[in-house]
Amino acid sequence: MRALVAPLAEQRVLLQKEAVAYYESLGDFIVAERDGEVVGCGAVHVLWEDLAEIRTLAVSSSVLGQGVGSRILQGLVERALELGVERLFCLTFETDFFARHGFSVIEGQAVEPEVYLELLRSYDEGVAEFLDLERVKPNTLGNTRMLRVL
């Protein structure tokens, strides 16, 4: 997964993560393989009782346009539903892709002020990005905040 994400992180399309972050969140991921090679991945990470984030959705250039990303996203949506999540958030440059899958652009926060204060206690950098904290702004410049109600 790291090898798949690395070129996209260099292009600043996805955020670069340390190896430990992949191991810590391995259970959040779904992967697509072709001939034993990972050609796509994506994660769903629960942020709050009714809210999860789609993270690190990446597809190899060798399979772009073949529906791999859509199948991964559908699997992540199904996993979110199994977990009882009602809303999915993403931070993305790929607004057309996510819009085709039911996501809408949002402004501001997707949580109530009380939940926002609770989430501020998280050490997860993804949560900091979700909260749009000033310290992560250089990592998220140009990204669009989107939400899907399940």
Side-chain angles (χ1 to χ4, degrees), residues 6-64:
L8 297 168
E10 288 174 15
Q11 297 169 27
R12 298 185 54 84
V13 173
L14 287 178
L15 297 172
Q16 183 65 45
K17 295 181 181 189
E18 299 296 329
V20 68
Y22 287 100
Y23 287 108
E24 288 175 340
S25 61
L26 193 60
D28 294 346
F29 276 89
I30 290 176
V31 298
E33 292 182 87
R34 178 171 288 160
D35 300 323
E37 176 186 353
V38 174
V39 295
C41 67
V44 61
H45 183 81
V46 176
L47 299 173
W48 200 249
E49 65 186 50
D50 66 336
L51 178 69
E53 180 181 8
I54 300 297
R55 293 182 175 182
T56 319
L57 183 54
V59 174
S60 169
S61 60
S62 67
V63 296
L64 278 177

Side-chain angles (χ1 to χ4, degrees), residues 53-122:
E53 180 181 8
I54 300 297
R55 293 182 175 182
T56 319
L57 183 54
V59 174
S60 169
S61 60
S62 67
V63 296
L64 278 177
Q66 297 178 26
V68 174
S70 292
R71 287 191 299 276
I72 290 171
L73 182 55
Q74 183 56 40
L76 297 171
V77 168
E78 289 169 11
R79 183 177 285 173
L81 287 168
E82 289 169 5
L83 294 169
V85 171
E86 298 170 4
R87 299 176 300 147
L88 284 173
F89 168 82
C90 70
L91 186 62
T92 186
F93 289 106
E94 300 295 334
T95 55
D96 291 341
F97 171 82
F98 281 97
R100 284 194 310 271
H101 291 86
F103 286 77
S104 301
V105 174
I106 62 167
E107 298 293 331
Q109 291 301 321
V111 293
E112 299 298 322
E114 308 81 46
V115 175
Y116 181 91
L117 291 174
E118 289 289 332
L119 289 172
L120 279 174
R121 298 177 182 169
S122 174

